[in-house]
Amino acid sequence: MTWLITGGAGYIGAHVVSQAANSGLKTFVVDDLSTGISTRLKSEIELRKFSLQDTSSLQALFQEHDFEGVVHIAAKKRVGESVERPDYYWQENVVGYQNLLGVMAKHDVKNLVFSSSAAVYGEPNESSDSLISESTMCSPINPYGETKLECERLSEAFSGETGAKVISLRYFNVAGAGRPDLGDQYIFNLIPIVFDALDRGQQPQVFGNDYETIDGTCVRDYVHVQDLAKAHMDAMEHVVTAQPFYLPINIGTGYGASVAQVLAMISEVTGQKIDPIVAPRRQGDPASLVADVSRAAEILNWNSEQGLREIVSSAWDAWQLSHK
Ligand code: UFG
C-alpha cells in the first residue's frame, strides 16, 4: 500500500521519499512546490501539485487512493519569516494540517508521522549542558515554533478522537545530504550560510562568543538528514503495528557541536581558512540545544549513524553541485 508524503519534494521530504523507495515502500507526493523542487523526485514517484489549503483536491486524492498512512512534512519553516508573518504561518502550517486531518478522519486513515521541531521547546530553562528530553516543557519563542506545537496538540487530539497512531518527530538541527542532488538549496541555516560566505570570499559571522558553553559559542545538535529520513521509516513501521497512541520523539544525535566546532569542520572539509567575525548574540538563541535521544532508541530502535564530518562533507558536495 502507498504512503502519502506531504512536502515530499522538499529537502527533507525528498530524502524520506528516496529512502522509502530504496526499502520498497510506495509513496505518493503532494507538494505545492513553493519551496519544493520536483526534479528531486525520480520520475516513477507520483507528484500532485496543490496546497493543503485546497480541501477539495485533498478529498479527491483520498477518494482515488487507499493510503496506508501519511507522513506530513509540508510546512513553512523560516523562523524569521514567521515573526514577520505570523498569520500566514498559522494559515499554512496549522490550517493546512487541520484540513489534512479532517480528510484523513473521513477516509479512516489512521497511521501518521508528523514533522515537528525542537523549536517547540523554545529556550529551555535548564543548565546549558543538560539534554532536552520530550518531557521538557514546551514553550516556543516564535510563531514557527507555536505552529509546530499547535500541530502536535492537533495530532494528539486526532489520535484520541479517531484511534489513530501518531508520532511527532521533533527534529533538532538537520543538515547534510543523502545525495548531492538532494541537498538543501536555501541559505537559511549555519552550514549553507558559511558556504555562501566562503563562495563570496567573505568571512562568516558567529553570533556571540560569550555563552556559557565549551568555547563561548552556541551549541546545537546537528543530525544528518539521511539519519532523519531513516527515523521516518522506523516511525512509519512502528505506527502501522501499534495500538492507538500519540507520542513525540526527539530526533538528534545526543551530541552537541558549537558554532566554532562547526566552522572548524567546514574549514577542514573545504580546505579553506576561516577567520570568523564575532557578531552580537542573535535574539532568541539558547546557549545549548542538545537532544536526549533515548526515547527514539527505545521506541523506534533508532540511533543516528553519521557525525559532523559526514554532515559537513555531504552538504559541501551538494552545495558545489547546485552553486557552481
Ligand atoms: N549562527 C551563527 N552565524 C550565522 C548563522 C547561525 O553563528 O550566520 C549560529 C546561530 O546563532 C545558532 C547556530 O548557528 O547558534 C545554528 O543556527 P541556525 O540558524 O542554523 O539554526 P537554529 O538552531 O537557530 O534553528 C534550527 C532550525 C529551526 C529549528 C531548530 C531546532 O532553523 O527551524 O534548529 O533546534 F527549530
Side-chain angles (χ1 to χ4, degrees), residues 117-119 144 173 189-190 193 205-207 218 220 282 285:
S117 166
Y144 166 70
N173 290 56
N189 294 108
L190 177 63
I193 287 173
Q205 291 188 319
V206 172
F207 297 143
C218 284
R220 295 288 180 272
R282 191 173 67 175
D285 263 344

Side-chain angles (χ1 to χ4, degrees), residues 3 62 67-71 97 100-114 151-168 235-236 238-248:
W3 278 76
F62 275 73
F67 291 121
E68 168 141 45
V70 177
V71 180
Y97 191 43
L100 175 65
L101 292 176
V103 176
M104 285 178 68
K106 200 165 163 198
H107 292 268
D108 213 25
V109 178
K110 290 199 159 77
N111 298 316
L112 176 60
V113 178
F114 169 65
C151 288
E152 286 203 11
R153 292 192 189 108
L154 292 170
S155 305
E156 187 165 14
F158 176 69
S159 170
E161 285 157 18
T162 68
K165 292 83 64 76
V166 190
I167 290 178
S168 289
M236 289 152 82
H238 185 79
V239 292
V240 167
T241 53
Q243 296 297 311
F245 75 110
Y246 169 76
L247 201 63

Side-chain angles (χ1 to χ4, degrees), residues 222-243:
Y222 296 89
V223 58
H224 198 298
V225 66
Q226 194 73 352
D227 282 333
L228 174 72
K230 174 69 168 56
H232 286 78
M233 299 300 113
D234 296 339
M236 289 152 82
E237 199 180 311
H238 185 79
V239 292
V240 167
T241 53
Q243 296 297 311

Side-chain angles (χ1 to χ4, degrees), residues 181-305:
D181 59 311
L182 292 184
D184 185 3
Q185 303 216 349
Y186 292 96
I187 307 168
F188 299 143
N189 294 108
L190 177 63
I191 294 172
I193 287 173
V194 176
F195 290 163
D196 185 52
L198 294 177
D199 269 4
R200 291 166 192 273
Q202 295 169 352
Q203 284 301 328
Q205 291 188 319
V206 172
F207 297 143
N209 66 353
D210 56 353
Y211 287 94
E212 276 188 37
T213 59
I214 177 175
D215 53 25
T217 66
C218 284
V219 169
R220 295 288 180 272
D221 187 336
Y222 296 89
V223 58
H224 198 298
V225 66
Q226 194 73 352
D227 282 333
L228 174 72
K230 174 69 168 56
H232 286 78
M233 299 300 113
D234 296 339
M236 289 152 82
E237 199 180 311
H238 185 79
V239 292
V240 167
T241 53
Q243 296 297 311
F245 75 110
Y246 169 76
L247 201 63
I249 300 182
N250 285 343
I251 300 297
T253 63
Y255 297 99
S258 72
V259 174
Q261 288 169 331
V262 173
L263 295 183
M265 184 59 79
I266 294 176
S267 174
E268 219 178 299
V269 165
T270 63
Q272 301 197 38
K273 192 169 176 302
I274 297 182
D275 192 8
I277 299 158
V278 178
R281 290 181 176 199
R282 191 173 67 175
Q283 209 197 341
D285 263 344
S288 174
L289 270 183
V290 182
D292 176 339
V293 287
S294 48
R295 185 179 282 179
E298 188 193 324
I299 307 285
L300 303 179
N301 198 21
W302 176 90
N303 278 293
S304 63
E305 288 175 2

Side-chain angles (χ1 to χ4, degrees), residues 6-11 29-38 40 47-53 73-78 81 85 88-89 92-93 185-186 188:
T6 74
Y11 162 57
V29 171
V30 166
D31 197 304
D32 67 3
L33 299 182
S34 57
T35 53
I37 301 168
S38 60
R40 281 202 175 110
L47 163 71
R48 203 160 295 175
K49 182 186 171 218
F50 64 84
S51 153
L52 299 180
Q53 315 285 323
I73 304 176
K76 298 288 162 204
K77 62 169 187 179
R78 293 178 60 183
E81 186 183 51
R85 304 179 69 189
Y88 172 66
Y89 267 64
E92 289 283 327
N93 291 1
Q185 303 216 349
Y186 292 96
F188 299 143

